[in-house]
Amino acid sequence: MKSISLFLFFCFITSPVFAAMNHGGMIMDEKGMIMNHNPDKLPKDCKEISEDVNITIRGGHKFAKDFPGKMFTYDKRDWQVPPCARVNVTFINEDDIRHQFMIHGLPGYMYPKGMFTIELYGKGQKTGSFIVPSRDYTYYIHCEVSQHTEKGMKGQLKVGKGSGDLDSILGLSAPLTPDLYPINNTHYTWLALIFSIIIGAFLIRLLTGLFTSKHSEP
Amino acid sequence: MPNKLLYYRLIPVVFVLIALSIWLQPEFFQRAAGINLPNGQQPQLSQPLKVEKPCVDLHPEWRAAQVVDGVEISESLLCEPDNPYNIAAFVLGMNNISMRTLMSSRIAEDALIKSDDLDGDGDPDIIRIKLEVLELNGATPDSPGVFPTYDIAPGIQPGMWAFSPKLRGMSVKNFRSLKANAILRAPSPVIRVEQGDKVYITLENTHYFPHTLHFHGVDHAFKTSTGGDNDGVPVTGEKPVMPGATRTYELQPRHAGTMLYHCHVQTDKHLMMGLNGMFVVEENKPNNWVQTFNVGAGHVRHSSVAIKEKFDREYDLHYQSIDKNLAKTIQQSNDTREISKQMHRVYNMSESSENYFMLNGHSFPYTLRDALIIAKPDENIKLRVANTQHSNIAIHIHGHKATITNYDGVPVNPAAQITRDVYDLSAAQRVDLHLQTTNDGLHSYGEGVWLFHDHVEMGVANDGMSPGGNIALLVYESMLSEQGMPTVLREDALDDVMTNSYYAKQRPLWGKLEAGELAPDYLRIILFGLLIGLAIGLAIFIVRGLNKADS
Ligand SMILES: [Cu+2]
Ligand SMILES: [Cu+2]
């Protein structure tokens, strides 16, 4: 803790040189923070960085406009990178309120609590990096500001082939506990039902007719 | 033909069998027990019984009086004392604290900025505050439960909202936990400023509904300096602050006192959901760095200069209630249109009732953890009491008579001040009390563990399950355990109420058994079954026989 704070203090007083600094850990200023920034430490199962993948992800209220009933989301919620890639995330917040890009499930021995986070206290952007391990896995991305995940701000990052899709991602997968909506029945609904019943009855007559005639012929 | 006659003759037998079975019919669901009543039995619990510890002693090091970044923080002997680093941040502002303090809090770096000593008296006079909107126990599309969980009492998780200082980082204790981080809690924080401060309060609407801020009783102009809405009322001012948007309100209060703030959008519902808090304006004094937020209300660990001159301790007491039907509206859908319909149109405030009653965001027994008034003999204690329920409260402190010094933030002429033992507050009212712990038979009857509670009796139960509601204690230090719990209690005194099943109304009182059930009366059931069987068999025999005879 002490070494982290010292390091942070160092970062704090030298904030203009952030971009030039190539350390792990946490970077904070009055605009937001990057947690567990890791541009160089390799996971145990990676011999080298396979590829540099640059991702720009935008977050805000306006991206949820295409999703009725939802309130906040990212511009793209489904990402895929090769194993052992270095992912350089530029997170852009288009709202005046706080949003996060938080990814879970990374190896705990490199990323405390298995997380990499970019948090922006308002409009603006920050770039941070993390290196993914080699196994095929789907990582959980979300904004944890109260009710943002629940009302749309959730995504996924597949490494390699991934390990399936996560639930409740807007435009991609259905919620685990879905809402129920009323069905807009008109008289056509009931006409269709009655018509089908009548057709069904005639079909039975047709079938039994065929059946009996076949058996009575010989 | 004679064959047929036999069958006809058998028909009455069927009727006789039916009559007999009706006469001998056993009682399937309940019956009198006769002379000996059934034995007692263990209650049926919907989840395994779990007895919680009265105090989970997470941060004993936070209790002592301490100095953080030069800020004096007074001792707080509660089970759950406030985080001293947060207090230092709230006194100094996020722009004046050390990195260690910043790292030990979960507050955003722009949440509170203090600057510019305009009157040259040694304290900052421009205060910039940022508030967010929290939801506790809300719906989630990822599980049938609620998220993040905040228990007001064991096992009770109503849907709630609260304003919050702008936060940073995780909202839960850790990734595997569903529990809200300690700083995400009810009630909305008490906001404290100094008289004459230039205060800029920005509502950053992180929530999925529109909201505003309205300052109730706090001196503010109708419009901001740039002509914007400053009263927070959509029907007289600007449109509400939409999700993802922000608005800054401006205050420069000329009058000190205990006031309120709340959302003024669909006020009946939004206020009762928890978007209301206490707003305290402290007298202007030299070197007066006030504690801008008191998260969770309760003990003020860094009182203002004026309060320290007259009082030994200060407590903010915020009374709130919950209608379980209103609380439910945010727990049943993740479609914001549907939530809005259920809350604003289907739910009807004129048919509302109150089910849960909280003091400083908790109901008994959790009030014992953070809502005690702790005292020593011969002290002067300042209590600021606010009622944001829609029903009245009538607060009574056992063993004490306190003096009402202020109504709604306005001082009462000392000659007219009333000393009494029930303090009644209707909706939105505040009183300031001067509690004296002088053992003179009037102000105090001596040291003890004295209950204090609302005497409107529905307020001392959790959805009708008593003891609960806003019950808390005035405890003298000599009777307090090391963990901040009253020591006169029996070892097992709280075992009943500290369970997940007590307030679910599944646990009989006083550890007794439920009245037992009776064994089924097999003799009569078998007899009844045989008769019915015979009747059906005979009826089939008759029908088939008649058919055969016909053909
Ligand atoms: Cu967000
Ligand atoms: Cu509101």
Side-chain angles (χ1 to χ4, degrees), chain B residues 52-59 79-80 369 483:
Chain B
E52 283 177 51
K53 278 198 224 159
C55 178
V56 187
D57 201 5
L58 284 178
H59 291 287
C79 161
E80 289 178 357
R369 292 178 174 173
Q483 295 198 333

Side-chain angles (χ1 to χ4, degrees), chain B residues 212-227:
Chain B
T212 62
L213 285 177
H214 168 72
F215 301 95
H216 175 133
V218 192
D219 178 22
H220 65 281
F222 184 67
K223 290 182 193 169
T224 63
S225 52
T226 51

Side-chain angles (χ1 to χ4, degrees), chain A residues 72 97-100 143-145 148 153:
Chain A
F72 301 101
I97 60 161
R98 188 164 61 102
H99 284 302
Q100 301 166 332
C143 170
E144 233 222 6
V145 175
H148 286 201
M153 212 154 180

Side-chain angles (χ1 to χ4, degrees), chain B residues 120-422:
Chain B
D121 69 347
D123 54 59
D125 296 318
I126 294 191
I127 315 292
R128 296 175 196 276
I129 296 171
K130 289 186 172 176
L131 294 180
E132 293 183 340
V133 179
L134 289 181
E135 180 164 312
L136 301 166
N137 303 318
T140 164
D142 298 321
S143 91
V146 294
F147 182 86
T149 62
Y150 174 77
D151 292 44
I152 59 166
I156 303 178
Q157 300 175 339
M160 298 164 81
W161 295 341
F163 289 113
S164 151
K166 188 173 183 181
L167 302 175
R168 65 176 159 82
M170 297 271 283
S171 64
V172 286
K173 299 206 178 210
N174 61 64
F175 181 53
R176 304 255 166 264
S177 170
L178 299 176
K179 274 195 182 148
N181 201 324
I183 199 158
L184 279 79
R185 60 165 299 168
S188 299
V190 182
I191 297 177
R192 263 188 169 69
V193 300
E194 196 191 22
Q195 188 182 11
D197 278 355
K198 280 193 155 186
V199 186
Y200 298 89
I201 304 191
T202 304
L203 172 61
E204 301 204 343
N205 190 2
T206 52
H207 197 242
Y208 53 76
F209 283 158
H211 300 294
T212 62
L213 285 177
H214 168 72
F215 301 95
H216 175 133
V218 192
D219 178 22
H220 65 281
F222 184 67
K223 290 182 193 169
T224 63
S225 52
T226 51
D229 180 19
N230 205 33
D231 200 38
V233 183
V235 293
T236 58
E238 284 179 57
K239 268 169 75 171
V241 186
M242 302 308 277
T246 70
R247 181 172 300 151
T248 302
Y249 300 86
E250 301 171 359
L251 319 164
Q252 193 168 13
R254 291 163 286 186
H255 185 89
T258 309
M259 314 299 182
L260 290 178
Y261 68 103
H262 59 85
C263 170
H264 222 299
V265 177
Q266 293 287 313
T267 320
D268 48 346
K269 274 82 72 175
H270 289 204
L271 192 145
M272 202 177 191
M273 285 300 293
L275 293 185
N276 66 83
M278 295 170 72
F279 195 111
V280 178
V281 182
E282 300 282 0
E283 275 175 59
N284 191 5
K285 294 272 179 182
N287 300 310
N288 195 13
W289 292 69
V290 300
Q291 183 187 326
T292 306
F293 290 113
N294 186 9
V295 172
H299 186 203
V300 186
R301 292 186 76 176
H302 184 88
S303 288
S304 70
V305 171
I307 296 300
K308 273 191 213 137
E309 282 170 3
K310 286 174 248 165
F311 297 97
D312 300 292
R313 306 173 198 249
E314 180 186 14
Y315 291 90
D316 297 330
L317 307 176
H318 183 168
Y319 288 86
Q320 261 180 299
S321 65
I322 289 174
D323 177 343
K324 62 181 178 185
N325 291 322
L326 175 62
K328 216 166 56 184
T329 59
I330 62 166
Q331 297 182 321
Q332 292 174 329
S333 172
N334 276 290
D335 186 324
T336 54
R337 301 162 301 178
E338 183 62 20
I339 303 172
S340 178
K341 178 183 174 187
Q342 291 301 325
M343 172 176 290
H344 300 125
R345 291 184 283 148
V346 176
Y347 173 79
N348 182 346
M349 184 55 78
S350 68
E351 291 165 359
S352 98
S353 57
E354 292 162 286
N355 308 94
Y356 298 109
F357 297 85
M358 298 178 294
L359 167 60
N360 297 345
H362 280 143
S363 293
F364 180 88
Y366 282 176
T367 48
L368 301 181
R369 292 178 174 173
D370 65 359
L372 301 183
I373 297 174
I374 295 172
K376 273 197 281 211
D378 302 310
E379 282 189 333
N380 293 298
I381 299 172
K382 171 94 168 171
L383 305 179
R384 299 180 186 267
V385 190
N387 175 22
T388 61
Q389 304 181 180
H390 62 212
S391 58
N392 291 7
I393 56 171
I395 301 304
H396 169 55
I397 307 175
H398 289 199
H400 293 77
K401 284 185 167 61
T403 305
I404 301 169
T405 59
N406 299 65
Y407 281 110
D408 299 342
V410 182
V412 182
N413 179 346
Q417 284 180 3
I418 294 169
T419 302
R420 62 186 302 185
D421 60 22
V422 176

Side-chain angles (χ1 to χ4, degrees), chain A residues 1 4-6 8-9 12 26 28-33 35 61 68-72 94-100 102 104-105 113 115 117 119-122 140 142 144-151 154 167-168 174-182, chain B residues 97 99-100 102-104 106-110 130 132-145 147-148 166-175 184 203-209 242-246 330 332-339:
Chain A
M1 191 65 213
I4 294 176
S5 340
L6 275 176
L8 285 166
F9 190 64
F12 194 62
M26 196 162 171
M28 269 178 99
D29 61 22
E30 70 291 347
K31 293 258 178 350
M33 65 167 174
M35 216 172 75
H61 173 60
K70 295 295 169 182
M71 208 44 76
F72 301 101
E94 307 233 351
D95 283 339
D96 289 323
I97 60 161
R98 188 164 61 102
H99 284 302
Q100 301 166 332
M102 193 182 267
H104 292 277
K113 294 176 181 165
M115 284 159 56
T117 307
E119 177 163 22
L120 295 165
Y121 296 151
Y140 172 38
H142 69 150
E144 233 222 6
V145 175
S146 186
Q147 280 289 320
H148 286 201
T149 310
E150 290 72 19
K151 302 302 180 271
K154 179 174 176 182
D167 297 305
S168 337
L176 202 65
T177 50
D179 283 338
L180 300 180
Y181 294 87
Chain B
I97 54 172
M99 191 49 71
R100 179 188 157 87
L102 179 65
M103 293 313 297
S104 308
R106 298 268 194 160
I107 318 294
E109 282 200 83
D110 59 345
K130 289 186 172 176
E132 293 183 340
V133 179
L134 289 181
E135 180 164 312
L136 301 166
N137 303 318
T140 164
D142 298 321
S143 91
F147 182 86
K166 188 173 183 181
L167 302 175
R168 65 176 159 82
M170 297 271 283
S171 64
V172 286
K173 299 206 178 210
N174 61 64
F175 181 53
L184 279 79
L203 172 61
E204 301 204 343
N205 190 2
T206 52
H207 197 242
Y208 53 76
F209 283 158
M242 302 308 277
T246 70
I330 62 166
Q332 292 174 329
S333 172
N334 276 290
D335 186 324
T336 54
R337 301 162 301 178
E338 183 62 20
I339 303 172

